[in-house]
Amino acid sequence: MVSIEPSRSRDLDKLLLRPGNIVAPTFEAGAQLREDIKEYVRILVVGAGGLGCELLKDLALSGFRNLEVIDMDRIEVTNLNRQFLFRHEDVGNPKADVAAKRVMERVSGVDIIPHFCRIEDKPLDFYNDFNIIVLGLDSIEARSYINSVACGFLEYDADDNPRQETIKPMVDGGTEGFKGHARVIVPGVTPCFECTIWLFPPQVKFPLCTLAETPRTAAHCIEYAHLIKWNEVHSGKAFDPDNPDHMQWVYSEAVKRAELFGIPGVTYSLTQGVVKNIIPAIASTNAIISAACALETLKMVSGCSKTLSNYLTYNGVEGLHTKVTEFVKDKDCLVCGPGVLLELDTSITLKKFIDLLEDHPKLLIAKASITYRGKNLYMQAPPVLEEMTRSNLDITLFELMDKIPEDTIHATGLAGKGETKQSSLRKLRVVFKGLDGVTDVDMAGGA
Amino acid sequence: MYCLFFNTKMIIRSFSIYLDVCRIWGEQGQAALEKASVCLLNCGPTGSEALKNLVLGGVGSITVVDGSKVQVGDLGNNFMVDELSVGQSKAKCVCSFLQVLNDAVKAKFVEEYPDALIETNPSFFSQFTLIIGTQLVEDLMVKLDRICREANVMLICARSYGLTGFVRISVKEHTVIESKPDHFLDDLRLNSPWPELKSFAETIDLNTTDPVVHKHTPYVIILVKTTEEWVKNHNGSLPSSREEKREFKDLIKARMIAADEDNYKEAMEASFKVCAPRGISSNLKQIISDSCAEVDSNSSDFWVMVAALQEFISNEGGGEAPLEGSIPDMTSSTELYVSLQKIYQTKAEADFNVIHQRTRDILKKIGRDPDSIPKATMKSFCKNARKLRVCRYRSMEDEFNSPSQSELQKYLTDEDYSSCDSTAAGFYILLRAVDRFAANYNSFPGQYDGGMDEDISRLKTMAISLLNDVGCNGTGLTEDLINEICRYGAAELHTVAAFIGGIASQEVIKLITRQFVPMSGTFIFDGINHKSQLLSL
Ligand SMILES: [Zn+2]
């Protein structure tokens, strides 16, 4: 038996230091690869909940040293049964801070920077700083936002092929009860979140008239108390799901209503579940899905094996089923495609341009903030930035873009119609009309 | 009309998928977990991660068995040990980490190697509800399985090995009342309404001219009445061809008097439910004709109830299982919905009473206390009668000595996987071959640097002789895959361990709560391209 110096990465070394036959073409086995992963690879974990905690642990034990985590939530008592990094004394503290601290305590050498804020609060540049973004989220809206940001960095060359160096890969996981998914998104190469948005069908909805006139289930009674009765009684006062008095009020109103209609089943925990939209999550599924995501991250970074292509589903309800599906990219995708083409006059001011985005049938972005090559042209918020950039509103976009006849700019704002509006980032291909050298502009996507 | 006041764009999310965490396995499931005593053998990352998930879920007590001391290398793949643990008992370190996660759990550790316990102290295992054996070689798994079957203790084995691994349950028999399948046809009896449902339907006039009443008639009533009419005009048969099913839908559509009648839209969408076959499913037929349904004083409560169910089906049930008794939410006036609910509940209650009586009679006959099965259990049994499941697992010894040759050959040459670099069946063979290798050479192939080429050719020889032993040929087992296994060198990677351990813990929860359906066969993890498979051998 050969005696070797004890190595912390004893097991991982086998995978990274030895050559193999079933690996990515880019794989270069050796100690250098291990050191490069430690030194240069920067990973952002979005979400520090059930999935995020697992992801941070898994990545820290997969040889990554430079991790950051972003989450806007504070720890609640109900998190403790599946978020293993949190203890009773942590309740009330930011999840990101505690998760980062706990993993750094256990895994020496790893550096985790926590960000306790909304994902929309970070400038776009923040996200560009990472090699891979790993998502451990439970909301479609948040996924969609990060996806649009990561795809926003993607640039296409003259032949409409994605530029390699602008690709920002994502690994996304999600769970619900005994089911989950893990997927790899390489913008411009594999379908992005928006390309396959149909995988996340809209929630089953029911009209308010059911709540008001023909309630049939306990949830109908709870939603009546929450959405109708609350506003009738507390006009103007916002309902706060984290306020126990508010929750208790909704619960007792729901009980009254259920009694009136002879409907069984209203309980306090159901009230919380319905009002807070709690997606049932369990520790084991979170662990399985996070592990798959972290493994794919390691494989993608190191090339030490094949990469998942491109969507893994897991279902443990009846027996155990895993399935890989290779979804295809939507070539007309507004988010990961080359961007919406806008043909403009050189005389259009930034203000007029922002108005135009609101009316554009494909975009419908209200109150857009505009950035160009990392420079803020106009920011709606925070107030200090708004003030600083306000003077640009009357300047022509052409001038603000340094008179470059054709280029990509980014707009962020609330996109969509009515109830479905959400924070979005859109990539726009701006072409100025009537300039030399620009001819035969495709008008199909124009304003 | 009612809805005019409320603008239709004011819509909100439905509750149906938003349930509280404990609503997944309920209070009974949680109680079963809290009563359970789980023993983990070997606390590397695979075992530690499995146990972590169970501790978070609130399992009652845990015992960690491991004789090794923490080495520096363990720090790189196991979150439950840290710098300060090096040189200390691994079982002790892991146990104290887990205790901090949940102080309600009774956590113990035994600093001893599992193989020593298996060889010298088999009675040790009989105190537990369930054993999780991790990173055990084949020979030990076989011995442990024998001990556990003898002592009626559930066993689950899990192993991580490079980018592959497996999970295997071994229990003589596992019966499930609450299998909670995702998609299961509602028990509505639309094509064979019992007298009360029939007469209730007769009190409702689908041709009412009151638009408010018309749009609040629940779809169950619409379908019962339309089916009755259809059957009358079609010599007693239900719509069966695609053409007929379309005609049936048109019949419903023709009854609509306004475009916004959601109840009629629901009726059309649910019209396939009228074609639900009468009588019981083949799965249930198999269960009631199982030899265990011939009960004696040694029979479990489950089989006693199955015996009663069998009697019910051939007598009062007229070929049907007891009615489930619940109806899905549907557009309706509150009054009609509640009345309909009551009609279903009453019938389910009546069916339950029959089964209850029959169960008592059977218990008396086999010399047991007629009240020895709790009423709540029997209620749940009746409600879930159509969804009962019986899982049986071959002993590991049987499987390893004589795996189903035809199945294995089929997996090895599976067309769906022929284009892949890896196959689950290939991994299955190689994971067994590495244990033969270790038994011969005292280390796993590629475990230490140097001598790789020799290990590769030795492993290949082992794999081929193993295939010969079980009567299969080597197609599907590529040089690349053999190389790959040697490259892994028995490494326990954290992410693979967390995946395998996660699956093991999920199956443990299903086994202990007796809810949902545990996996069958052997789950082979393929971390290369995630074409993992369940092999039934
Ligand atoms: Zn896309």
Side-chain angles (χ1 to χ4, degrees), chain A residues 147 151 156 185 187-188 190-196 328-337:
Chain A
N147 179 69
C151 292
Y156 284 80
I185 298 176
T190 67
C192 81
F193 182 71
E194 222 64 43
C195 289
T196 52
V328 291
K329 208 165 61 129
D330 172 5
K331 62 178 184 4
D332 296 324
C333 179
L334 277 184
V335 178
C336 67

Side-chain angles (χ1 to χ4, degrees), chain A residues 8 10-11 15 18 21 54 57 106 108 179 204 209 215-216 285 296 299 304 306 314 316 318-319, chain B residues 3 14 49 52 74 83 182 329-330 389 421 446 449 480 483 487 492 506 510 517 527-528 530:
Chain A
R8 190 178 295 271
R10 175 190 67 200
D11 295 70
L15 208 63
R18 296 173 168 187
N21 296 344
E54 287 282 339
K57 173 204 68 165
R106 308 274 323 163
S108 68
K179 289 181 280 186
V204 183
C209 62
R216 298 175 297 273
T285 319
E296 288 313 309
K299 292 198 293 185
C304 70
K306 298 282 169 86
Y314 168 85
E318 242 185 307
Chain B
C3 293
S14 151
E49 290 293 322
K52 179 202 77 191
D74 297 327
E83 307 285 315
D182 257 345
D329 185 27
M330 62 193 81
R389 294 295 283 262
D421 311 292
D449 290 327
D480 281 351
N483 263 317
R487 173 188 172 215
E492 205 175 344
Q506 190 153 99
K510 291 194 266 180
V517 184
I528 296 175
H530 286 284

Side-chain angles (χ1 to χ4, degrees), chain A residues 117-138:
Chain A
C117 62
R118 285 155 38 91
I119 48 177
E120 294 91 345
D121 292 345
K122 288 286 176 191
L124 298 178
D125 275 357
F126 168 79
Y127 294 100
N128 207 2
D129 219 20
F130 300 95
N131 301 90
I132 291 192
I133 300 176
V134 187
L135 286 72
L137 294 162
D138 61 5

